[in-house]
Amino acid sequence: MKILTVIGARPQFIKAMALSHTVARSSGVEEVLLHTGQHYDDNMSAVFFRDLRLAEPKYRFDLGGGSHGQMTGRQLEAIEEALIAEKPDVCLVYGDTNSTLAGSLAAAKLHIPVAHVEAGLRSFNRRMPEEINRILTDHVATWLFAPTETAVRNLANEGIADDNVHLVGDVMYDVARLVIDHPERRTDILERLGLSSEDYAVSTLHRQENTDDPGRLAEILEALAELAGRMKVVLPLHPRTRKTVTGDARAKRALEKMITIDPVGFFDMATLLSVARLAITDSGGLQKEAFFHGVPCVTVREETEWVELVELGWNRLPASITGTAIAEAIEAALAAPPGKNTAAYGHGDAANKLLEVLVAGRSGTQ
């Protein structure tokens, strides 16, 4: 069985690690990695391949940048050529990026079955490019690997409720356990930044609706700057965020109160999260990573796909994306007791489960 896996952005490199290592231990299964280059900086791409011991992609394109249409179109063309050359049994895609959509469309048009890992997530906000990507991918996929019961219900509500949907858990939890179960894998980043346990918060900001609006980004950063008056705030600066901040005086003043660093690899970020007091993010992945480490989170968005985290008390959404509302959500998160313990995202064996489904489906027994 040959799987061609399409990846292109930081979260996908992390997710791919779980399945790629599982495939490497399996007989009769071959994986071909294709990297679209959606994230191409060393600290947004290469560092994850090194950290997670991912094989060098057989196909590597530099197709980041440009509008959503330009990027997706260029990726679709390049992925199609690779699919024709490889003739895989399955094209596997992760999450909700432009690379995800391009891979699923290219495969579907060539009548190659699509496997979507992290299927069924919905923010119900179609102004988000990610929402469009994930909906379209789910509706062309042959195998839909849902991380949660909520995701399964979302698919059922859209008429996708048959043997193609599989509740396997979250591959991100598979990877998180590399640090949770093995504390010796933590790095020395706390020492490098002069931090100690629970005396700091960690933040990431990259979502287009936040970073492309200077006024909105300044509101978020000012709320973080206010928190920095009480505890240290560590902010790895995404390239998109850095670009907007460069031309905005309000944002620059706020950043001066924080510890800003370049984006870091998986193990550095996991170490930062593991003993942080709080996470503040607009990332889908970091919401869950914080939960896996038992760290409360404030998500600076108007909605989240990971509704379980809100329901369980681990995540909070501000009433609005304003400095005052974000500061209030941060205060509530710091004052609240820990959220409920649950296995909402499985038991750390999602990669094994989904590979079993793919192999069984290919052999005709599924």
Side-chain angles (χ1 to χ4, degrees):
M1 178 184 193
K2 180 189 285 189
I3 301 170
L4 188 142
T5 297
V6 176
I7 53 178
R10 174 193 182 276
Q12 293 166 332
F13 309 146
I14 298 172
K15 295 165 190 171
M17 179 271 180
L19 182 62
S20 293
H21 287 202
T22 301
V23 168
R25 297 191 297 268
S26 304
S27 61
V29 183
E30 174 190 1
E31 182 181 38
V32 175
L33 282 180
L34 184 154
H35 183 354
T36 66
Q38 185 168 332
H39 282 170
Y40 48 83
D41 292 349
D42 182 81
N43 56 15
M44 294 292 290
S45 176
V47 65
F48 291 95
F49 282 82
R50 294 193 296 267
D51 271 8
L52 300 171
R53 294 183 289 113
L54 280 171
E56 189 65 23
K58 182 173 181 178
Y59 296 89
R60 171 122 186 198
F61 308 113
D62 294 317
L63 299 175
S67 69
H68 287 287
Q70 290 172 330
M71 185 189 301
T72 306
R74 293 196 305 268
Q75 291 177 353
L76 199 157
E77 182 179 11
I79 294 168
E80 181 182 62
E81 292 180 2
L83 288 169
I84 291 171
E86 292 294 331
K87 298 179 175 58
D89 299 295
V90 181
C91 177
L92 187 141
V93 296
Y94 290 94
D96 54 22
T97 69
N98 290 335
S99 300
T100 307
L101 178 59
S104 60
L105 287 178
K109 287 176 178 291
L110 292 171
H111 309 293
I112 296 170
V114 174
H116 186 201
V117 181
E118 216 172 68
L121 299 189
R122 297 292 182 268
S123 67
F124 302 102
N125 176 7
R126 293 204 177 192
R127 293 180 61 85
M128 291 176 57
E130 296 88 351
E131 184 78 348
I132 301 302
N133 291 343
R134 61 173 74 108
I135 290 172
L136 293 176
T137 298
D138 281 341
H139 282 268
V140 299
T142 300
W143 290 282
L144 298 100
F145 294 108
T148 65
E149 293 280 5
T150 302
V152 173
R153 289 195 296 272
N154 289 339
L155 293 169
N157 290 338
E158 295 176 15
I160 308 174
D162 54 25
D163 291 342
N164 293 348
V165 178
H166 303 272
L167 177 61
V168 296
D170 196 319
V171 292
M172 290 286 283
Y173 186 39
D174 293 24
V175 184
R177 288 184 61 176
L178 290 175
V179 173
I180 295 169
D181 296 344
H182 302 279
E184 70 277 5
R185 289 177 170 161
R186 293 177 181 172
T187 71
D188 64 350
I189 193 168
L190 300 186
E191 290 77 9
R192 282 184 272 138
L193 297 178
L195 303 172
S196 58
S197 177
E198 295 194 4
D199 78 339
Y200 66 94
V202 60
S203 179
T204 67
L205 300 168
H206 78 279
R207 192 74 59 172
Q208 184 177 0
E209 63 264 32
N210 288 333
T211 60
D212 287 3
D213 182 337
R216 182 175 169 120
L217 180 59
E219 290 280 325
I220 298 169
L221 292 175
E222 286 176 346
L224 293 177
E226 181 180 334
L227 177 62
R230 302 168 54 186
M231 66 178 67
K232 295 175 182 177
V233 176
V234 180
L235 176 62
L237 270 180
H238 188 282
R240 183 187 294 143
T241 312
R242 187 183 295 278
K243 181 179 179 181
T244 301
V245 166
T246 299
D248 189 87
R250 276 179 71 192
K252 281 184 177 179
R253 286 194 298 271
L255 279 184
E256 290 173 357
K257 300 182 180 180
M258 298 174 235
I259 301 172
T260 57
I261 60 176
D262 288 333
V264 296
F266 171 76
F267 286 103
D268 272 344
M269 180 56 79
T271 302
L272 279 172
L273 270 177
S274 65
V275 292
R277 178 68 183 85
L278 180 69
I280 307 102
T281 187
D282 59 10
S283 162
L286 203 77
Q287 298 171 46
K288 290 182 298 170
E289 291 176 71
F291 165 70
F292 297 150
H293 291 284
V295 174
C297 182
V298 172
T299 296
V300 285
R301 286 169 50 193
E302 294 164 353
E303 70 286 306
T304 177
E305 308 87 296
W306 303 104
V307 294
E308 301 85 6
L309 298 178
V310 177
E311 295 167 354
L312 293 168
W314 286 103
N315 193 11
R316 280 171 174 74
L317 299 174
S320 62
I321 308 303
T322 61
T324 299
I326 295 167
E328 289 174 352
I330 288 172
E331 184 62 34
L334 290 171
K340 297 177 183 177
N341 289 322
T342 177
Y345 299 103
H347 301 280
D349 57 355
N352 286 329
K353 288 182 176 179
L354 72 88
L355 185 59
E356 288 174 2
V357 170
L358 290 177
V359 171
R362 178 57 186 167
S363 68
T365 61
Q366 179 66 27

